[in-house]
Every structure is written in C-alpha cells, then in structure tokens.
Amino acid sequence: MQGDLETALEKLFDRPAVSVAAGRTDAGVHALAQVVSISEAPDELDLESARDALNVMCGPSIAVHSCSSAAQGFSARFSARSRSYVYAITEGPVLDPFLTSTSLYHREALELGAMNEAAGHLIGSHDFSSFGRVREAGASAQRNLFELSVERRGRVVRVHARANAFIQQMVRSIVGSLIQVGEGSRTPDQMPQLLAARDRGAAGPVAPPHGLCLVAVEYDEGWGLPLHLQESTPSVAAP
C-alpha cells in the first residue's frame, strides 16, 4: 500500500516522493487509521485538491481522508506516542463469508475471562522477544504495552492492544497465545514465563495477518494534522 501511495505522490508532485508510515504492517494486515508523513512536498500545494487527486490515482483499496501541513520535524513514525491495533476473531458453528477477509474464524467459543487474566500479565514495559522480532539487528525488543483486553460483540471477539510501539508480529503472536488460553490449552499464569523465556518458540502460533487492523495512532498536541490513509475494510475491526 505504501508503494502505491508513493507512486501516486510521484505523479502528483512530478518528482520522487518518500513517505514514512506510522505503522509498518505486515502484508495482509488492514488499517483504519494509518498516518503517513511526507517531508518533500511542493510549497504551493492545494491540500484538498491533493487529497482528491490521490484518491483517484491510488485506486479503491486506499482512501486518503485528509492532507494537512504538519509542524517542522514531524514524523508519522517517530513522533507517535502510541499505536492501537484490534485483532478480530469470529466465533460460531458456521463460518460467516462476509467476515472471512477481516477476522479469524474460530468454531468454538473462547473463554474470555481467562484470556483477559492472561492479558493482564503482559501489560507494562517488558522485553517482548518471545512475541516477535526486531527489524534492525541488535535493536531492543523492550516495549511498553499500555492496554491489552479482550471483549465479545455478538459473535466477534476483539483483542485490543495499545503500546508505544510494537515489534514485528508482536500483536499476532500475543493473540495466538491468548487463543490458546481461551481454548484451555495454556493457563493465564504461564504468561510471565513466556516473557521471561525471550524465546520465539515459547509463545503460541502467530495468528494470521488478515484479522489484524491498525485502528489509531496518537500524537502530542502541536504537531498539526498529517496525511491520513485508510485501507478499505468492513466494520468488524472498527473501534
């Protein structure tokens, strides 16, 4: 998606364009609230016209909601205070074909009480090496997980995670472990052991990407409003 946006920006600006996204999502992950910054935009740029032009050039899978000038030094990635993701799981004896592209199907009902108990052990500042990997060699896997909760709305179970940042596949790996707890094959009090192991093999399987959606990015006041990008996705994962 970022490549499609940069291609459209190059056509619009008639010069190369480099963008920085707030969340670098894996292939197949959706976004309702992606934020993208561009440092080299033309000085005389009609922002409303730019939004309309980008929506024509980017195609139906990307919707640019607004283009705005941000304060000097703003970076969609490095200026973010937190990012929020929702992972959607659809329960029930019959698969819902309208939800298959944005949620993981799970036939049996999950035990949410146990999943929330397990989630409580993961909240806080920890080394999340057991639940993901860092992109840069030698980088720290320490992250501050502000919120992690599980709720059911109808037949859809939503795992909500908010942190200062996430390492690669962190949310999906946490979801895989929480599902094991919800199924009864793992207990909530095993979560501290998984953290302490700092071993990718200790945690549960990585949940598939299509159930994950970036739903919010938070910034300090004063940066202004950057460019907002939204990928098309049904409301199952909406906040």
Side-chain angles (χ1 to χ4, degrees), residues 105-165:
Y105 174 62
H106 194 279
R107 181 180 176 86
E108 304 298 330
L110 296 165
E111 177 50 56
L112 267 60
M115 293 174 73
N116 275 307
E117 182 181 348
H121 292 293
L122 301 180
I123 294 174
S125 181
H126 305 288
D127 183 318
F128 283 94
S129 296
S130 292
F131 295 95
R133 56 179 180 267
V134 294
R135 295 176 185 269
E136 297 81 13
S140 173
Q142 192 82 15
R143 297 293 186 272
N144 193 352
L145 186 59
F146 301 130
E147 299 176 31
L148 182 63
S149 60
V150 188
E151 65 172 350
R152 180 181 285 112
R153 294 186 183 181
R155 62 180 297 188
V156 178
V157 172
R158 291 156 41 98
V159 181
H160 178 263
R162 184 173 73 92
N164 64 329

Side-chain angles (χ1 to χ4, degrees), residues 86-89 104 110 115 122 131 148 158-161 169-182 204-208 211-212:
V86 165
Y87 196 96
I89 305 164
L104 173 66
L110 296 165
M115 293 174 73
L122 301 180
F131 295 95
L148 182 63
R158 291 156 41 98
V159 181
H160 178 263
Q169 297 185 343
M170 176 174 159
V171 179
R172 292 164 54 200
S173 183
I174 288 175
V175 169
S177 296
L178 291 181
I179 288 175
Q180 288 183 327
V181 172
V206 179
L212 185 62

